Amino acid sequence: MTATPYETAWGALGEPWAVAVETTPLPDLKLAHVSETLAATLSLPGLAAGSPALRAVMAGAQPLPGAQPVATVYAGHQFGQFVPQLGDGRAHLIGVHTDAAGARHELQLKGSGPTPFSRFADGRAVLRSSLREYVASEALHALGVPTTRALALGVSSEPVRRERMERAATVLRVAPSFLRFGHFEYWAYRGQLQQLRQLADWAIANWFPQFEGRYADWLGDIIDRTADLIVHWQTLGFCHGVMNTDNMSLLGLTLDYGPYGFLDAYDPGHICNHSDEAGRYAYDQQPHVAHWNCARLLEACLSLLDPDQDRALTTARALLERFPTRFRATAGRAWRTKFGLGEHRDDDDTLMNGFLDLLARGRHDFTTCFRALPDPDRLHDLILDQAALDTWYRQYRDRRDDERADTVAREALQRSANPARVPRNHLLQLAITAAEQDDFAPLSRLMDALSAPYQDADEFADLADLPPAWAAALSVSCSS
Ligand code: AMP
Ligand code: MG
């Protein structure tokens, strides 16, 4: 072990991009859960799962040796409106850890107290939203979706006021970088183009070294990653809920889980966030919004593309065109895998949309029906309009079997793209209700069930069930 196992995050930049600020300790912190697999992969020096040191760090009561906690400044388009200054208002980058393989991991404690970017808020996060973020971070990772990770969830006795009094909690988030589109929008809006360029050069040197000095190719790569990420979301029925540009990761990771949701009954216009009255971030809007957000990033980075404004705009327009092209190609492959179709054929979209139409008309469960796709008898139990199902299934079977793929291999491939279990709102709610009473067993069981979501598991059959009637009354909002 080196003398200083941790480094200060953003240390090479420092102020004004990131400012030093201490965390504010929380009383009586309990470790509600630690992700053992992530802890084992990272093997953070001095922070073994369940150790008093990890508990003290989670409580915001102890900095990491060698690292100064910092908060970064960013801006962002929130529900379409530009907000010139945001930032880490309730999260501290507490340090960077370099693992045995040489990979760097930023450690960010969320809910750790106010920073210069808290505006008028308290710098805290409640148990409800922290548990939701914790579970989803690890669940999406297990589903194969690029995401920030979460190492531990801590819960304190400190009361926090939201719509009602709740308990304060912290999540230790881990990612190669928490850089957001909004970090670039901040400097561009202020016309501080030198700072913008320094930030870009630093980001490229650390996370995109292959694009050194090639800003257009670098931005193109970010656009590709973003398109690929949204394909993961769409094909799993994941709705982010708050796709503001400050919640868009530069690395194409799922970032800032708030009022997210997985589709239960299939409704393309599903809005998971109760606060999103206009449905700006509805399920079927996500690809369009991601494209729009990429346009905002390109706008912010225009000065990097060319000193001549017109030439910069021409390059930016061409880059923006990459999004729909990339999205169509990746999405086509991903949806076909769910249906067990290997080759691309002209009528595939019609065929696949036929199934989605069946689901939408009957409001049938997205996850369950896709998992049942290879088994027509099972689908018969799930889908009400049996005549329509039979007609569709005949066409599907003909098209599918025409490829003469090995049935066992095809069904295995389909299972690898159609999970048995996802973190549905009602499952999260059950874990939250118990955790609020200091019972972390349901959370622990949920984490176990979601760690291998593509495997059938009898012991978790109840967690793969259709949502109960009371789930319809659950409402998830921006408040967290
Ligand atoms: P979010 O909606 O969580 O992505 O946050 C949007 C902005 O508000 C970010 O700059 C956050 O840091 C800030 N923010 C949200 N909640 C709080 C809070 N309780 N205390 C301080 N800042 C917050
Ligand atoms: Mg955010």
Side-chain angles (χ1 to χ4, degrees):
M1 203 204 288
T2 51
T4 53
Y6 298 98
E7 292 164 56
T8 298
W10 292 45
L13 284 175
E15 292 202 25
W17 296 268
V19 300
V21 52
E22 305 307 324
T23 54
T24 309
L26 280 166
D28 311 320
L29 189 111
K30 293 192 174 85
L31 286 178
H33 199 267
V34 178
S35 168
E36 304 276 350
T37 44
L38 181 57
T41 326
L42 292 176
S43 76
L44 295 175
L47 292 186
S51 64
L54 178 61
R55 210 175 59 78
V57 167
M58 292 299 294
Q62 186 178 300
L64 297 175
Q68 164 67 49
V70 301
T72 69
V73 65
Y74 52 82
H77 281 83
Q78 299 196 312
F79 291 90
Q81 298 298 315
F82 185 68
V83 182
Q85 187 183 309
L86 297 160
D88 299 321
R90 51 165 166 175
H92 293 71
L93 285 168
I94 57 171
V96 175
H97 166 64
T98 305
D99 68 21
R104 286 162 62 83
H105 306 273
E106 287 184 358
L107 306 176
Q108 188 180 64
L109 190 62
K110 183 167 174 180
S112 44
T115 76
F117 312 112
S118 303
R119 297 184 286 179
F120 301 103
D122 57 11
R124 293 303 186 196
V126 299
L127 171 57
R128 167 178 48 85
S129 66
S130 304
L131 184 147
R132 287 174 51 86
E133 170 147 43
Y134 180 73
V135 172
S137 305
E138 292 306 281
L140 263 76
H141 173 72
L143 286 163
V145 185
T147 176
T148 62
R149 303 288 303 274
L151 182 88
L153 171 69
V155 49
S156 157
S157 59
E158 184 167 292
V160 177
R161 176 173 292 285
R162 296 292 182 261
E163 280 92 359
R164 59 185 174 94
M165 291 309 274
E166 299 190 47
R167 289 168 72 183
T170 57
V171 179
L172 184 54
R173 309 200 292 186
V174 185
S177 165
F178 287 90
L179 271 167
R180 305 154 186 267
F181 287 14
H183 280 115
F184 294 83
E185 292 180 279
Y186 178 79
W187 300 107
Y189 175 80
R190 296 165 65 94
Q192 292 183 274
L193 303 181
Q194 193 52 39
Q195 280 79 359
L196 175 84
R197 186 174 294 261
Q198 271 174 271
L199 182 66
D201 289 344
W202 175 74
I204 292 170
N206 280 282
W207 297 284
F208 304 86
Q210 67 276 35
F211 298 117
E212 194 197 325
R214 297 191 290 130
Y215 297 113
D217 293 337
W218 167 61
L219 290 164
D221 187 59
I222 295 164
I223 289 166
D224 288 350
R225 290 170 187 234
T226 306
D228 292 354
L229 176 68
I230 307 303
V231 170
H232 281 289
W233 291 1
Q234 298 309 106
T235 51
L236 289 167
F238 174 78
C239 309
H240 181 283
V242 195
M243 287 177 68
N244 295 337
T245 53
D246 50 299
N247 291 336
M248 297 293 291
S249 150
L250 201 73
L251 303 189
L253 308 172
T254 311
L255 171 65
D256 280 12
Y257 295 88
Y260 68 86
F262 278 81
L263 293 176
D264 292 317
Y266 180 62
D267 166 13
H270 177 69
I271 305 166
C272 64
N273 176 3
H274 195 71
S275 316
D276 180 13
E277 278 150 29
R280 179 180 173 87
Y281 299 138
Y283 167 73
D284 61 1
Q285 295 303 303
Q286 296 189 124
H288 164 74
V289 170
H291 189 201
W292 190 88
N293 287 346
C294 287
R296 303 290 77 76
L297 176 66
L298 287 168
E299 236 164 46
C301 293
L302 269 185
S303 63
L304 301 175
L305 290 174
D306 202 295
D308 176 88
Q309 174 93 359
D310 288 339
R311 281 207 300 267
L313 274 171
T314 306
T315 307
R317 282 201 198 94
L319 282 170
L320 200 54
E321 274 310 300
R322 270 171 84 141
F323 187 95
T325 311
R326 176 81 175 202
F327 183 81
R328 264 196 302 275
T330 315
R333 276 194 302 277
W335 283 107
R336 280 199 303 280
T337 305
K338 287 176 82 73
F339 284 87
L341 308 176
E343 304 157 6
H344 166 82
R345 305 229 182 127
D346 283 346
D347 292 339
D348 286 348
D349 282 353
T350 312
L351 181 75
M352 296 191 291
N353 285 330
F355 186 65
L356 289 168
D357 286 344
L358 265 179
L359 299 192
R361 268 187 274 132
R363 298 268 161 148
H364 296 304
D365 189 81
F366 182 86
T367 302
T368 313
C369 290
F370 268 101
R371 184 76 175 177
L373 200 46
D375 180 354
D377 294 336
R378 175 91 179 96
L379 276 183
H380 257 200
D381 295 339
L382 293 166
I383 293 183
L384 281 179
D385 188 344
Q386 312 244 310
L389 173 62
D390 289 340
T391 308
W392 180 82
Y393 210 91
R394 266 194 300 279
Q395 291 168 8
Y396 169 57
R397 196 188 326 243
D398 289 348
R399 159 69 183 87
R400 187 190 71 189
D401 296 349
D402 199 44
E403 284 192 23
R404 297 172 201 287
D406 170 58
T407 305
V408 175
R410 175 180 48 73
E411 290 189 3
L413 185 69
Q414 277 186 274
R415 271 198 302 280
S416 77
N418 295 313
R421 296 172 298 281
V422 292
R424 300 175 190 256
N425 275 338
H426 75 278
L427 300 175
L428 293 158
Q429 191 53 49
L430 291 169
I432 291 165
T433 307
E436 282 175 341
Q437 306 303 319
D438 280 335
D439 173 8
F440 306 122
L443 166 63
S444 183
R445 182 165 179 261
L446 184 59
M447 292 296 285
D448 288 345
L450 295 175
S451 67
Y454 295 107
Q455 278 170 31
D456 289 315
D458 289 342
E459 73 269 35
F460 298 131
D462 56 315
L463 305 182
D465 278 347
L466 297 178
W470 59 264
L474 286 174
S475 128
V476 186
S477 74
C478 272
S479 140
S480 63

